[in-house]
Amino acid sequence: MKVSLLTYTQEPERTVAAAARLCYSPVGVEEILEKMDEERQKNFIKKLWDLNHLSPFEHVSFTFGIEGVSRALTHQLVRHRIASFSQQSQRYVVEQNFNFLIPPTIANSSQALEIYQQVLRAIKEGYLKLIEMGIPAEDARYLLPNAAETKIVVTMNARELLHFFEVRLCSRAQHEIRTLARKMLEEVRKVAPILFEKAGPLCETRGVCFEGPMSCGRLNLQDEGGS
């Protein structure tokens, strides 16, 4: 899996802090920006966290290039609706030699891996035969599995990213999208460490868990003084 931060709102923390300050200031945004030093930025962003006033985070966005992930992952990813997506098309791109992802549970079992690879080889063979017969790629793709490797460009604002991290860094999130979330968080922390200082699963950021009986129990352990 490869995750690259392609572009982002310049001076994201200054932008968020200035937007928040404007809500409480009689002066204009230009004057606010002139006085917005790093210490004020940091204090304002921390105050926003404490007040759960996160609408100013929506003024900055981050665009990622993501490669080496499965269609199973992107089907989960596009459920985050306050975002923009541009994905490699199986309609227009002929998958002459498509790569595929192997889940760890299958990779760790020689018997399961043999079955998995056998089926994928058959799918690939059938797909290529259909293409050779003149079947359009948009119809031949019906054979392609969730395991097929894909590429996608994703843009989210900072507030939606925080929500994404709360949900997808949870220990109960599916392993591949959890790995993606970790890599995305690593990237944004390089350019906006204060904005994403407290980013993480809900049990860490808000001290709550909505998994009910399916909870990993981590929050209860923390409440009891465990590790």
Side-chain angles (χ1 to χ4, degrees):
M1 181 187 299
K2 180 181 178 182
V3 179
S4 304
L5 182 59
L6 302 180
T7 187
Y8 57 94
T9 303
Q10 295 301 303
E11 298 186 287
E13 294 172 339
R14 188 165 182 255
T15 300
V16 169
R21 182 71 182 90
L22 182 66
C23 297
Y24 308 100
S25 175
V27 303
V29 68
E30 290 184 0
E31 185 174 339
I32 289 172
L33 284 169
E34 288 176 2
K35 299 177 180 178
M36 188 61 66
D37 57 28
E38 290 188 10
E39 188 62 28
R40 289 183 179 179
Q41 289 174 201
K42 185 175 182 179
N43 290 337
F44 258 101
I45 291 170
K46 289 190 173 182
K47 185 175 182 180
L48 293 174
W49 265 105
D50 293 340
L51 295 174
N52 197 28
H53 179 199
L54 299 181
S55 60
F57 283 60
E58 298 173 17
H59 292 293
V60 299
S61 62
F62 301 80
T63 299
F64 304 86
I66 300 168
E67 301 180 19
V69 295
S70 70
R71 282 264 168 175
L73 180 145
T74 57
H75 286 328
Q76 298 175 76
L77 183 58
V78 297
R79 292 174 189 162
H80 293 269
R81 291 172 292 175
I82 308 176
S84 299
F85 305 98
S86 297
Q87 185 168 5
Q88 185 181 59
S89 173
Q90 290 181 336
R91 181 183 184 190
Y92 297 109
V93 177
V94 177
E95 300 280 4
Q96 293 286 1
N97 189 29
F98 73 86
N99 294 319
F100 53 85
L101 281 292
I102 304 176
T105 53
I106 293 175
N108 293 332
S109 167
S110 58
Q111 185 177 3
L113 183 60
E114 183 179 353
I115 295 170
Y116 190 82
Q117 292 177 324
Q118 181 180 353
V119 172
L120 285 170
R121 282 194 296 268
I123 289 174
K124 183 180 292 187
E125 182 180 340
Y127 173 83
L128 293 175
K129 283 183 178 178
L130 291 179
I131 295 295
E132 290 172 4
M133 292 169 59
I135 301 298
E138 67 178 355
D139 293 333
R141 65 177 169 165
Y142 279 68
L143 282 179
L144 297 177
N146 276 338
E149 186 267 344
T150 189
K151 302 171 180 63
I152 191 168
V153 173
V154 180
T155 300
M156 294 185 187
N157 68 46
R159 186 178 191 178
E160 178 61 14
L161 272 172
L162 290 170
H163 169 68
F164 176 76
F165 296 141
E166 286 179 341
V167 175
R168 301 303 184 176
L169 288 174
C170 172
S171 63
R172 281 193 43 78
Q174 188 259 355
H175 68 89
E176 190 182 8
I177 201 166
R178 192 165 67 243
T179 298
L180 173 64
R182 275 200 304 268
K183 289 179 177 290
M184 290 170 66
L185 180 55
E186 288 171 4
E187 290 299 305
V188 294
R189 276 181 169 165
K190 293 175 184 177
V191 298
I194 301 172
L195 282 185
F196 296 100
E197 180 182 4
K198 297 183 179 181
L202 265 174
C203 59
E204 291 182 4
T205 61
R206 303 297 174 193
V208 297
C209 176
F210 297 121
E211 294 297 317
M214 295 184 291
S215 171
C216 70
R218 180 181 179 187
L219 189 61
N220 292 333
L221 289 173
Q222 291 174 341
D223 291 342
E224 295 167 6
S227 58

